[in-house]
């Protein structure tokens, strides 16, 4: 079992963020006799997944919904699947947008490289 500080270090988040996730019902760590939050390996794995979802810009509300569905049990698998599929479409759109912007930047960079190469001569 890990304290909130240890867990924060393990997953690369602040204790404040872990408290926020608890408030948002994204994590639900048990408390010891002193009222301190205690995290185990399952919490660590879950937090790593949440971090990946956040990195792909999944809103907290969607992460909370996914968490609720997960905790309800296996009968919610179709709903969880749909939620993740929708998010995957969002990610694919973002990737396409980023690829287009990267291509534009590459074109600009090549033009500036040619321009500066001529200036140096």
């Amino acid at each position: 079992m890990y304290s909130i500080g240890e867990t924060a270090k393990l997953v690369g988040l602040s204790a404040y963020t872990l408290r926020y996730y608890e408030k948002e019902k994204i994590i639900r760590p048990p408390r010891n006799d002193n009222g301190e939050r205690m995290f185990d390996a399952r919490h660590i794995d879950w937090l790593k997944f949440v971090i990946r979802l956040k990195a792909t810009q999944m809103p907290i509300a969607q992460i909370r919904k996914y968490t609720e569905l997960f905790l309800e049990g296996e009968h919610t698998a179709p709903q969880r699947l749909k939620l993740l599929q929708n998010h995957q479409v969002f990610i694919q759109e973002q990737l396409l947008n980023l690829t287009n912007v990267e291509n534009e930047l590459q074109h600009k960079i090549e033009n500036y490289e040619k321009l500066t190469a001529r200036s140096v001569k």
Side-chain angles (χ1 to χ4, degrees):
M1 296 296 273
Y2 304 98
S3 70
I4 193 167
E6 293 167 329
T7 301
K9 286 179 186 171
L10 283 170
V11 299
L13 296 174
S14 68
Y16 174 84
T17 300
L18 294 179
R19 287 184 197 98
Y20 172 72
Y21 285 171
E22 183 181 19
K23 179 181 163 237
E24 291 296 321
K25 297 185 176 22
I26 291 170
I27 56 171
R28 299 173 187 192
R31 295 187 182 243
N32 65 16
D33 293 339
N34 295 328
E36 300 164 329
R37 295 164 186 87
M38 298 305 296
F39 299 83
D40 62 22
R42 290 174 308 149
H43 293 107
I44 303 298
D45 290 342
W46 178 253
L47 285 165
K48 288 178 180 178
F49 180 62
V50 168
I51 290 166
R52 287 191 296 276
L53 292 176
K54 283 295 296 165
T56 62
Q57 300 178 3
M58 181 181 271
I60 288 292
Q62 279 187 315
I63 297 171
R64 183 183 329 108
K65 180 65 178 170
Y66 182 86
T67 303
E68 290 168 3
L69 291 169
F70 177 81
L71 292 173
E72 281 183 40
E74 289 299 315
H75 70 279
T76 65
Q79 294 160 287
R80 287 182 276 154
L81 174 62
K82 186 66 176 166
L83 191 147
L84 293 177
Q85 287 172 329
N86 289 341
H87 189 63
Q88 184 178 39
V89 169
F90 171 79
I91 291 169
Q92 291 166 343
E93 290 170 355
Q94 292 298 98
L95 287 169
L96 181 60
N97 289 337
L98 287 172
T99 299
N100 290 337
V101 170
E102 181 188 27
N103 290 338
E104 267 186 65
L105 286 175
Q106 184 59 37
H107 179 71
K108 291 279 188 195
I109 288 168
E110 289 169 3
N111 286 340
Y112 282 117
E113 287 173 342
K114 289 175 188 171
L115 180 65
T116 57
R118 279 186 257 144
S119 300
V120 173
K121 292 181 182 178

